[in-house]
Amino acid sequence: MRAVVEPPQRVPARTVLIREGEPLNRSTLLSEGLMGRFKDMRDGERQISQLHISGDFLDLHSFTLKSIDHGVVALTDCQTSWASHAALEELTAEHPHLGRLLWMTTNLDAAMHRAWEVSLGRRDGLSRTAHLLCELHVRLGVVGMAEEDGYPLPLIQVDLAECLGLTAVHMNRVLRELRERRLVTFRSGRVQIHDLAGLRWAAEFTPGYLFLDKKPR
Amino acid sequence: MRAVVEPPQRVPARTVLIREGEPLNRSTLLSEGLMGRFKDMRDGERQISQLHISGDFLDLHSFTLKSIDHGVVALTDCQTSWASHAALEELTAEHPHLGRLLWMTTNLDAAMHRAWEVSLGRRDGLSRTAHLLCELHVRLGVVGMAEEDGYPLPLIQVDLAECLGLTAVHMNRVLRELRERRLVTFRSGRVQIHDLAGLRWAAEFTPGYLFLDKKPR
DNA sequence: CGTACTATTGAGTCCGTTCAAACGGGGTGG
DNA sequence: CCACCCCGTTTGAACGGACTCAATAGTACG
């Protein structure tokens, strides 16, 4: 893999890295920071459909689709490297197993999308927020960026609201309730988990959809 | 492809074909009927995260993930055939281009998931319903199962509600309003489009995410 | 020390839910 | 052939979660 990846580049927070509809002949690997895939609505509202953390391929699906149906924005200062589709094509031709591994990571993306759909469709604000915080706890844990009782999360409440299909105002009230119920506190860029079992119960969270046993690390 | 696919089988309506967590060593192709991927909640509510139509691979992602994080249910009488993962592995090894094509179809699934997330997160019931009906219009059109002004859709209102994160009661009211606004009528298993442009406007629908120019048909 | 975000809180409104009941059509058994 | 029943649809009324609008605190930074 290393052979096909170009040197890393810095991306300042709040930069839109990729715009909707843009044709792409390369895929980008996120090595540091948080990014989000989003779509903006007519009325100015934004829905983030996925959060990416260190180690994620941002737009590997463009390897087969050659363009992208949504924007990608850096939510914090980030570091990225890219690999051209041509290089990936060579690489996967030579190492079919690696190709399936990359394919798998895009399938993991889809699994997370499905979990978010369930949240957005059937959970209320509290449970939905709890679910996202549980997911990030596990995902960041896999890459050594979370402890048992919490993790850094340098986002603002608006970012979370845009992930969760809520308004910023309501996001604030939900976070207050999670705090008051002594489940979890999100404050100054950190998630502090008070009661992991309780949080997971409230979220109806089961990590099966993250396929942890198969995560290539 | 034909060489690796086993003979078709009938699946009666309302059968759960695959249960959550089930290990899989084969993938299923849907040749007739409508199926849905779903997750059931503690309280008995169900969220359908994707609808599948004729020609879709139901669980191609299990080729790389080897199990499945959600159930699959037949919403109508269906016909399916399956291909073992071993056979697919051989096939894609021999024809790398075909492998990328299959990879692409899973990426299309993810793109549809993202579009649904946007709907569930940021559109109200009316617009969300309109969006689903637009999506199906296009997708069924690609396989020759829709006309300009409508298409058969043998679902009940509860099914739509489960796709859209609504209750059956509210689904009914939304459908009434779509009818009264002379946008679209869903009745006795058929979607009749009165005003396609108006419907798409209400849904804020753009078919870009379906990558029609790349659809392998 | 101002300026611009970000977070927080209150009051009123609305979309969607819950609970409940009635309606309609198609199948089935007497 | 009709009575009945089941399933799906439709409608009403009351409730509640989330939104809108608006104002006030913090907080970071130049």
Side-chain angles (χ1 to χ4, degrees):
Chain A
M1 278 296 304
R2 264 200 195 101
V4 304
V5 172
E6 303 292 324
Q9 297 179 336
R10 317 221 90 256
V11 180
R14 306 296 150 182
T15 310
V16 173
L17 194 69
I18 307 172
R19 275 168 218 290
E20 186 179 338
E22 208 169 290
L24 284 176
N25 56 13
R26 60 194 207 184
S27 288
T28 304
L29 189 62
L30 177 60
S31 48
E32 210 184 302
L34 287 168
M35 290 202 168
R37 305 186 184 186
F38 70 92
K39 173 155 178 71
D40 286 334
M41 313 298 291
R42 258 201 309 253
D43 64 3
E45 301 211 335
R46 171 173 291 188
Q47 178 66 35
I48 294 178
S49 56
Q50 187 168 22
L51 282 180
H52 284 294
I53 65 173
S54 299
D56 286 356
F57 250 114
L58 287 180
D59 52 1
L60 192 50
H61 51 299
S62 71
F63 179 50
T64 64
L65 293 172
K66 299 302 175 198
S67 73
I68 201 164
D69 52 306
H70 55 270
V72 177
V73 61
L75 299 173
T76 67
D77 287 332
C78 289
Q79 197 154 311
T80 62
S81 344
W82 53 265
S84 78
H85 288 167
L88 285 172
E89 200 154 326
E90 264 185 63
L91 186 73
T92 55
E94 196 166 339
H95 306 283
H97 171 260
L98 195 52
R100 276 201 298 283
L101 197 68
L102 292 176
W103 186 354
M104 192 197 78
T105 68
T106 64
N107 286 340
L108 275 175
D109 285 341
M112 289 187 250
H113 284 319
R114 281 190 289 276
W116 282 36
E117 286 181 68
V118 171
S119 261
L120 289 164
R122 294 293 167 199
R123 286 189 249 261
D124 64 14
L126 191 95
S127 169
R128 205 186 301 169
T129 305
H131 196 275
L132 176 60
L133 296 180
C134 285
E135 176 180 311
L136 288 173
H137 186 222
V138 171
R139 288 172 66 192
L140 290 168
V142 170
V143 293
M145 295 177 66
E147 301 90 59
E148 188 63 28
D149 69 336
Y151 52 91
L153 186 68
L155 297 180
I156 61 177
Q157 295 185 358
V158 174
D159 295 329
L160 290 181
E162 288 176 350
C163 292
L164 294 166
L166 301 174
T167 58
V169 171
H170 196 59
M171 188 73 257
N172 181 276
R173 293 191 230 267
V174 166
L175 288 171
R176 168 152 58 96
E177 182 160 0
L178 283 169
R179 208 184 311 131
E180 284 169 358
R181 288 202 197 177
R182 309 254 5 121
L183 291 173
V184 63
T185 298
F186 171 65
R187 185 161 273 169
S188 47
R190 185 175 166 80
V191 173
Q192 192 66 36
I193 299 174
H194 309 309
D195 174 3
L196 182 56
L199 186 65
R200 289 189 167 190
W201 169 259
E204 209 167 324
F205 177 81
T206 50
Y209 71 96
L210 296 171
F211 294 86
L212 294 176
D213 50 330
K214 297 204 171 56
K215 196 96 179 182
R217 286 163 191 287
Chain B
M1 277 296 304
R2 264 197 197 104
V4 304
V5 171
E6 303 292 324
Q9 298 179 336
R10 316 221 90 257
V11 180
R14 304 296 150 184
T15 311
V16 173
L17 194 70
I18 307 172
R19 275 169 218 290
E20 185 180 337
E22 208 170 291
L24 285 176
N25 56 13
R26 60 194 207 184
S27 288
T28 305
L29 189 62
L30 178 59
S31 48
E32 210 184 301
L34 286 168
M35 290 203 167
R37 307 187 183 186
F38 69 92
K39 174 155 178 69
D40 286 334
M41 313 298 291
R42 256 198 314 252
D43 64 3
E45 302 211 333
R46 173 173 289 189
Q47 178 65 36
I48 294 178
S49 55
Q50 188 168 23
L51 283 181
H52 284 294
I53 65 173
S54 299
D56 287 355
F57 249 114
L58 287 181
D59 51 2
L60 193 50
H61 51 299
S62 72
F63 179 49
T64 63
L65 293 172
K66 299 304 175 197
S67 73
I68 201 165
D69 53 306
H70 55 270
V72 177
V73 62
L75 299 173
T76 67
D77 288 331
C78 290
Q79 198 153 311
T80 62
S81 345
W82 53 266
S84 77
H85 289 167
L88 286 172
E89 199 154 328
E90 263 184 65
L91 186 73
T92 55
E94 197 166 337
H95 307 284
H97 171 260
L98 195 51
R100 276 201 299 283
L101 197 68
L102 292 177
W103 186 354
M104 191 196 79
T105 68
T106 64
N107 286 341
L108 275 175
D109 286 340
M112 289 187 250
H113 284 319
R114 281 190 289 276
W116 282 36
E117 285 181 68
V118 172
S119 261
L120 289 164
R122 294 293 168 201
R123 287 189 248 260
D124 65 15
L126 191 96
S127 168
R128 205 186 300 168
T129 306
H131 196 275
L132 176 60
L133 297 180
C134 285
E135 177 181 309
L136 288 172
H137 186 223
V138 171
R139 288 173 63 193
L140 290 168
V142 170
V143 293
M145 297 178 65
E147 302 90 60
E148 188 63 28
D149 69 336
Y151 52 91
L153 186 68
L155 296 180
I156 61 177
Q157 295 184 359
V158 174
D159 295 327
L160 291 181
E162 288 177 349
C163 291
L164 295 167
L166 302 174
T167 58
V169 171
H170 196 59
M171 187 74 257
N172 181 276
R173 293 192 230 266
V174 166
L175 289 171
R176 168 154 56 97
E177 181 159 1
L178 283 168
R179 208 183 312 131
E180 285 170 358
R181 288 203 197 176
R182 309 252 8 122
L183 291 173
V184 64
T185 298
F186 171 65
R187 185 162 274 170
S188 47
R190 185 175 166 81
V191 173
Q192 192 65 37
I193 299 174
H194 309 308
D195 174 3
L196 182 57
L199 187 66
R200 289 189 166 190
W201 168 259
E204 208 168 325
F205 177 82
T206 50
Y209 71 96
L210 295 171
F211 294 86
L212 295 177
D213 49 332
K214 299 204 170 55
K215 195 95 180 183
R217 287 162 190 286

